[in-house]
Structures are given as structure tokens and as C-alpha cells.
Amino acid sequence: MEKLLYYVWEHRLFDNRNLLTTKGEKIEIIDPGHRNSDSGPDFFNAKIRIGEKLWAGNVEIHKNASDWKLHNHNHDKSYDSVILHVIENNDAEIVRSTGEIIPQLIIRYPDIIKDNYELLIHQNSFLPCGDRLHELPPLFLTDWITSLAMERLQEKARRICNWLESYRGNWEEVCYITLSRSLGFGTNSDAFERLARSLPLLFMQKHADSLFQIEAFLFGQAGLLDPEHFPNDAYYQRMVNEYAFLKNKFGLSPLNPECWKFARLRPANFPHQRIALLAQLIHQGFSLFTQIRETKDEKSFRRLFDLYLNGYWDTHYSFGQPSPQRPKALGKSAVDILLINTVAPLLYAYGVKTGNEVYNERAMNLLENIKAEQNRIIRYFSQAGIKTDNALDSQALIQLHTAYCVPKKCLYCRIGHRLLSSPINCK
């Protein structure tokens, strides 16, 4: 409940008329201060007039006044700067470490804010505010969705820029990691990222003329090659032997095979095909980032992933289990995901890093030209009346769900903010 009190204080949603301390002194809130998310008082640099004196300092907020002592603030000198203790229940007098009494204010705010907050936070449904979204103006939702799309794209770009720092500005290496993570298609994204980060692109580029060696590198490092498995699969056993040589040459330590997830996946979605496709790209020399940077239209971006597996993979989805012969390639929806999660973020990050907004615009245009994703999250929002026209919209709703709905950050969501002070429409 303290989170709600922080919110009410920060946005001045409390009754500001005739404010008095618990000792009866008149209070005027000139500036509530700035929210502190780290250790120390809850709000910094507040300006408050108490009686005839103007104070500048910090504000601490608790549900009960006695929480001050419960949290040992009375012995912590970092809380001596608190000029006002904001509370709901006055059950104790509080002091600084010097023994000096700190003024307290009992905060009052409309019951409807508390009722709406309880409704949003404690509902177990996928979308607690879903049955109230129709109350919001379409323009309001459109503006928020646009902001969320930018927020998600910027988050991905920040991750790429952080990787760029770690890899000394090597865009191709960062592209390799970004693409690898995308090839996990959610279920195995973390495992693919770990694979790429444990196996430098440079190692494989030294053997890029041999597709077989690249596959041995990747499958072995993924922990998917065990000498005791599939003794009758000649290709597999050759790869086991090849990886043993490469592992010794480069001092590699393979991943734990248990990091890969197979439950509820169709054979076509097993990681084996994705790893084999990654090997194809590396075998071609892997200048993918350079190609992405120089490409300008959606069709050309799609051609970058126009890959087909052949040879062993014509008749296999995974090792040791022959399948009917058929060409294996990335389908349109799979390429969409790579464009959304690899190409657009890389373009945007490059635009941020170089200060060239052409690449930022190119990333946005690409997302606007791709069909909206279809998954459980998008379906729930659709049922609540929020439609998606393209991938920019669907990425926004995924951001809304993961960054606000799941962690119950309704107080930081524009929708939650709008609904908090709105009357509850009981049907």
C-alpha cells in the first residue's frame, strides 16, 4: 500500500486543503520532491512550509508512523534530512538520530483511488483493466501505444549498445549475438544467447569455408553432441569427433544441454534447425550487419534470411531421427520475428550510436510494414478492444504486458493512472 501513498504524494492526489501536522501546525506543500528509487528517504529536495518556516529537505512515507522505528530510521543518520513524515495512521511519535522530533502529516485522499488501486492490483486476470479500456478515448490509447513501441525499441537498442561496449565496437559480433537470441523464438532465446556469447564469431570465421566445421562448432558448444548418443548416425558421430578437435584447439567449454527446452515444441521448432541456419549464415562469411545497414526496403531485408538447409537436414529435424524429405527454411512468420527482434533493433541502435536518425526512421518504417504478431498477449488485448495494425503496435502491447501488467506497475502505466481516479462502472 505504500506504493499507492508514494503515487498519491508525487501526483498531489491528496486533499490539499487546510493541511495540519499531527501537532496542529499549518502545512503548505510547495514541492513534494523527486521520487528516490534507491536507499534513503522516499522523496528528495522537497519544499514545505510548516508554520511560518520554509523547509527544504527530504520526505519519508509510511502507512503507519511506527514503521519509522520498525525500519530503524531513528538510528540512521541518512534520515536526519527528513523534514516531514507522511503517514496514513498516527500511532507513534518519531525522532531523528539526534532525538529531535520530526513533523508528521496524515495524508487524506479519495476512497475511489484506493478502491481502483485494489481492483487493479489484486485481480488475477491477465488484463485487470481489460473491462474498462472502453472508457478511454481512442486518441489516448493511440498515444500511449506509440510511446510503448518507442520504449520497447529503445530498451532493445540499449541492450545492443551495452553489448557493443563489451565487444569493443564490433557490430558484426553484436549482430551475431542479437540474431542468435532471436533464433530462440522466445522459448530458447536465453540458451541461444548463451551459446553465441560462449562461442566468439571470430573462432568460426577462421573455419568459415567448411559448413561441417561450423555446425560442429555450434552443436558441440550447445552441448548437443554426446559420443554415447546415436551410435548409428554417421553424420552425428563425425560431428562429435570434429567438435572434440575444435574444443581442444580453442579451449571451449560447452553449455549444459539441459538449458535447451523441447517440451511442447513441434520437431520443426526444435533448436537444431535454427542452429543449422545460423551455421549457414556464418559459412557465408557473416557480414549480416553490414548488409542490414545498407538495406533500405522490407523485401530486401527479407532476402537476407532466404536460407535453405540441405544435405543431412533434408531428412532430419534433429539428430538420430530421420524425417520425410522436404526442404527446410525459415517461414514468413519466422522471418517476421527476425526482422522485429534483430533487424529493427540493430538499425535503431546504430542510429542512436551514430546520431543518424535515418536509421531510426528505417527501423520504425520496417516495423510499420510488418504484419502484427499473433500470440496470447495480442489476443487478450484484442478481446479487450485494442487492435493492432502492424508489428509496431504488437511490440507496444508486448511491452505494456511485460513491463507494466505482469509486475503490476499500474501506477506507472498511463492507463492505470487514468483509471485510478475514474469512477468504477459497476455492471
Side-chain angles (χ1 to χ4, degrees):
M1 187 57 72
E2 281 186 4
K3 289 182 180 179
L4 179 59
L5 295 180
Y6 301 153
Y7 180 83
V8 167
W9 176 259
E10 182 176 12
H11 295 281
R12 300 185 185 229
L13 300 178
F14 51 90
D15 187 351
N16 203 28
R17 299 168 296 176
N18 302 317
L19 293 179
L20 300 173
T21 68
T22 54
K23 298 291 188 180
E25 294 180 281
K26 187 176 180 181
I27 294 182
E28 179 186 359
I29 311 301
I30 299 170
D31 186 339
H34 303 289
R35 180 79 176 94
N36 171 36
S37 57
D38 296 320
S39 61
D42 296 319
F43 286 84
F44 287 157
N45 302 321
K47 291 182 180 179
I48 299 170
R49 190 181 301 278
I50 302 177
E52 299 299 322
K53 190 171 183 179
L54 178 64
W55 294 82
N58 303 327
V59 172
E60 180 70 5
I61 296 178
H62 287 118
K63 180 175 177 60
N64 302 309
S66 57
D67 291 339
W68 178 272
K69 294 180 181 178
L70 186 65
H71 298 164
N72 293 316
H73 295 334
N74 52 316
H75 300 300
D76 189 340
K77 291 185 178 181
S78 64
Y79 284 83
D80 286 350
S81 59
V82 170
I83 59 175
L84 183 68
H85 190 214
V86 178
I87 56 176
E88 270 198 308
N89 303 314
N90 181 27
D91 59 352
E93 188 173 80
I94 66 162
V95 297
R96 299 185 176 93
S97 65
T98 60
E100 186 180 5
I101 294 174
I102 299 176
Q104 300 192 93
L105 169 67
I106 299 174
I107 195 170
R108 309 291 186 193
Y109 56 95
D111 288 339
I112 191 172
I113 294 178
K114 184 183 293 185
D115 293 341
N116 279 328
Y117 179 73
E118 293 284 347
L119 186 67
L120 290 173
I121 295 300
H122 297 299
Q123 257 197 47
N124 293 322
S125 64
F126 180 91
L127 188 59
C129 62
D131 60 353
R132 299 190 62 194
L133 291 179
H134 68 277
E135 301 174 22
L136 303 174
L139 184 59
F140 172 85
L141 288 173
T142 300
D143 287 346
W144 183 217
I145 287 172
T146 301
S147 296
L148 287 164
M150 292 300 300
E151 183 179 301
R152 186 164 181 80
L153 197 52
Q154 287 165 358
E155 279 187 10
K156 291 181 178 181
R158 275 195 296 272
R159 181 171 61 191
I160 289 170
C161 289
N162 289 337
W163 285 341
L164 201 63
E165 295 276 334
S166 301
Y167 291 94
R168 299 180 181 180
N170 188 331
W171 281 98
E172 292 295 350
E173 187 81 30
V174 171
C175 178
Y176 157 62
I177 295 171
T178 307
L179 173 65
S180 297
R181 181 173 179 83
S182 299
L183 285 168
F185 294 97
T187 304
N188 281 303
S189 291
D190 288 341
F192 262 100
E193 181 184 331
R194 288 172 61 191
L195 170 60
R197 290 171 71 87
S198 72
L199 182 59
L201 181 61
L202 179 62
F203 288 4
M204 290 180 287
Q205 286 176 324
K206 292 179 179 179
H207 296 261
D209 58 335
S210 171
L211 178 59
F212 174 73
Q213 284 188 313
I214 301 301
E215 287 191 358
F217 255 127
L218 288 166
F219 282 108
Q221 191 62 16
L224 297 175
L225 297 179
D226 186 325
E228 297 183 4
H229 292 172
F230 314 118
N232 298 321
D233 189 324
Y235 189 78
Y236 178 86
Q237 290 300 324
R238 280 180 57 211
M239 200 176 291
V240 167
N241 294 331
E242 188 64 31
Y243 177 68
F245 164 75
L246 295 168
K247 176 185 175 184
N248 182 63
K249 179 180 178 180
F250 290 95
L252 299 172
S253 297
L255 303 184
N256 186 330
E258 293 182 1
C259 71
W260 300 97
K261 299 174 184 177
F262 295 90
R264 295 187 294 277
L265 289 181
R266 294 182 295 114
N269 292 327
F270 284 176
H272 299 74
Q273 278 196 77
R274 314 306 188 201
I275 292 174
L277 285 164
L278 180 59
Q280 282 269 19
L281 276 169
I282 296 169
H283 175 53
Q284 294 174 3
F286 204 91
S287 57
L288 183 60
F289 177 73
T290 301
Q291 293 174 290
I292 288 172
R293 188 183 60 196
E294 294 173 354
T295 302
K296 297 180 180 179
D297 62 275
E298 182 195 349
K299 288 184 179 179
S300 300
F301 281 124
R302 290 187 180 279
R303 282 197 290 270
L304 298 178
F305 303 102
D306 193 11
L307 302 169
Y308 292 86
L309 298 178
N310 50 41
Y312 180 84
W313 301 106
D314 276 340
T315 56
H316 290 79
Y317 286 108
S318 59
F319 295 121
Q321 300 175 13
S323 64
Q325 184 169 359
R326 56 171 295 183
K328 296 180 176 66
L330 290 168
K332 184 179 183 299
S333 60
V335 173
D336 284 349
I337 292 173
L338 296 185
L339 296 179
I340 292 168
N341 293 321
T342 301
V343 175
L346 281 166
L347 285 172
Y348 197 88
Y350 188 73
V352 170
K353 202 69 176 176
T354 61
N356 190 337
E357 293 185 0
V358 168
Y359 294 98
N360 303 108
E361 293 173 7
R362 198 173 295 173
M364 298 287 287
N365 290 337
L366 177 61
L367 292 174
E368 288 176 339
N369 288 326
I370 298 172
K371 189 177 178 181
E373 298 149 276
Q374 292 301 316
N375 53 43
R376 182 172 62 100
I377 295 172
I378 305 306
R379 285 193 293 273
Y380 271 108
F381 278 107
S382 178
Q383 290 166 9
I386 298 183
K387 305 301 180 184
T388 51
D389 295 326
N390 50 50
L392 194 67
D393 291 343
S394 59
Q395 282 287 289
L397 296 185
I398 292 170
Q399 180 71 5
L400 176 57
H401 174 71
T402 57
Y404 297 89
C405 299
V406 172
K408 299 286 187 179
K409 288 189 173 181
C410 303
L411 296 176
Y412 306 94
C413 170
R414 290 188 197 175
I415 294 173
H417 179 84
R418 183 73 172 254
L419 294 177
L420 269 176
S421 56
S422 301
I424 299 174
N425 183 17
C426 299
K427 295 182 179 180

